[in-house]
Each structure stands twice: as C-alpha cells, then as structure tokens.
Amino acid sequence: MVSENEFKRICWACRRGMLELDLVMVPYVEGRFRDLDADNQQRFISLLECEDTDLFSWFLGRNLPEDPDLAIIVDDINTFTKTPRP
C-alpha cells in the first residue's frame, strides 16, 4: 500500500492536461485506487508513465496495451468509468 504522500503524488500525476484523460483518471484514483490490491496499485502507477495518446486510445477502446499488466488496469479503469455511481 502507498503512503499518503505517495497517494497525493499519484493524484497529481493523474492530471494530464487533457480533459478527456482527467475525466477518466482523476475519478478512478479518487474512488478506486485505495481499494486496489498492491499489484493493481503498481499497475496503475506504471500506467502513469504511458503517453497521453496511448491512454486516450485505450480508454476509448480503440486499442489495448500490449503489456498484459497494463491491459488489466486499463480494463478495470474502463469498467469503473462505465459503472454508474451515486
């Protein structure tokens, strides 16, 4: 599990400067990240190193990451995004 300071760093890194990515990544990290197991938290942290154009394509469902670990977390993010929240 990550420390509070590390969590704040991750939240900041989710603000990509591209509104479409911010609308996917910020709610995910705020609403789901802390509930992930350590492996999926690490997958998400690794995802933050990817290019915005790749992330955009993956979140739109145009492509899937070649890395199976990234594909797992992208699928979880896309599922979270499509799930209605109160």
Side-chain angles (χ1 to χ4, degrees):
M1 300 312 241
V2 298
S3 69
E4 187 61 28
N5 283 338
E6 181 71 5
F7 179 73
K8 289 177 183 177
R9 186 193 68 75
I10 292 166
C11 288
W12 184 255
C14 286
R15 299 180 188 279
R16 307 298 285 209
M18 179 185 233
L19 179 61
E20 294 85 355
L21 293 180
D22 291 353
L23 292 174
V24 171
M25 296 182 75
V26 171
Y28 181 83
V29 77
E30 291 175 350
R32 176 105 171 97
F33 182 82
R34 291 180 188 208
D35 295 331
L36 297 174
D37 61 32
D39 289 337
N40 280 323
Q41 285 184 350
Q42 188 54 52
R43 287 180 180 113
F44 186 81
I45 292 167
S46 295
L47 187 74
L48 294 174
E49 298 174 15
C50 296
E51 296 291 327
D52 288 355
T53 53
D54 291 331
L55 294 171
F56 186 70
S57 178
W58 298 337
F59 295 150
L60 284 179
R62 292 182 183 162
N63 297 310
L64 291 174
E66 291 181 17
D67 182 327
D69 281 333
L70 292 180
I72 290 169
I73 198 67
V74 165
D75 181 59
D76 192 58
I77 292 168
N78 286 336
T79 300
F80 178 84
T81 302
K82 293 174 186 170
T83 303
R85 288 177 293 287

